[in-house]
Amino acid sequence: MSSKPAVLNNVERLVLFDGVCNLCNRNMLFLIRNDPRQKLKFCSVQSPAGQTILAWLGLPLDTHESMLFLDADKVYEKSDAVLHIASYLSWPLRWLYVWKIMPRFVRDNLYLWVARNRYKLMGKSAVCAMPSPELLNRFISTVE
């Protein structure tokens, strides 16, 4: 992997999500409400910053089957991303991390079923939703 892109400077924890997915957008709002210590930052994979990060990770730029979670120098995807994100949320949501004991193939198959059906379940927007002004500091969207 090449050197870390500048957009990730001063970012410890970043959730990369599908910005046109209604389910994903609702999940981001849920995470923001349940992250009172503001440990998590967010980035749509469709944004210039998201595209830069995906390219750095060597991932496709046009298909998004998994939410990604960057925590320091580690990258988590699928159910591992969800569980590691949960570990930063407020109680009682933090306890969800105990599901890590379930075999990954079981967790990931459930995750992938939801991911592949997310547009059918919740719909898709024509464009990425813009965060409200009070939440802008929680999002990374441009490349510096």
Side-chain angles (χ1 to χ4, degrees):
M1 199 172 339
S2 61
S3 63
K4 190 164 145 180
V7 72
L8 291 175
N9 290 346
N10 303 315
V11 176
E12 277 190 61
R13 291 168 208 90
L14 181 66
V15 178
L16 282 155
F17 66 99
D18 182 349
V20 297
C21 168
N22 291 337
L23 176 63
C24 303
N25 281 306
R26 287 184 183 172
N27 285 339
M28 291 316 103
L29 293 174
F30 175 83
L31 293 175
I32 289 168
R33 280 193 310 274
N34 290 285
D35 176 28
R37 297 176 296 150
Q38 298 188 9
K39 295 284 187 175
L40 304 174
K41 296 265 187 189
F42 303 90
C43 181
S44 163
V45 293
Q46 290 88 358
S47 70
Q51 292 285 291
T52 298
I53 295 165
L54 289 175
W56 172 64
L57 294 171
L59 295 171
L61 303 180
D62 56 346
T63 57
H64 317 292
E65 199 169 75
S66 175
M67 173 188 344
L68 298 172
F69 182 50
L70 283 65
D71 189 357
D73 292 329
K74 294 191 177 198
V75 179
Y76 300 97
E77 63 179 346
K78 301 177 186 141
S79 64
D80 279 342
V82 172
L83 295 175
H84 282 276
I85 291 166
S87 73
Y88 289 101
L89 300 179
S90 56
W91 288 101
L93 295 169
R94 199 175 300 170
W95 74 268
L96 291 170
Y97 189 75
V98 302
W99 286 101
K100 185 94 169 124
I101 64 172
M102 181 182 285
R104 180 182 289 149
F105 77 91
V106 174
R107 291 185 280 121
D108 281 351
N109 280 329
L110 177 61
Y111 180 94
L112 287 171
W113 182 86
V114 172
R116 289 179 181 141
N117 292 288
R118 68 189 185 273
Y119 298 139
K120 290 179 202 164
L121 294 169
M122 299 291 287
K124 182 177 179 180
S125 299
V127 294
C128 292
M130 290 297 296
S132 62
E134 59 272 6
L135 295 178
L136 273 177
N137 66 326
R138 303 289 303 277
F139 286 81
I140 298 168
S141 61
T142 59
V143 178
E144 298 169 2

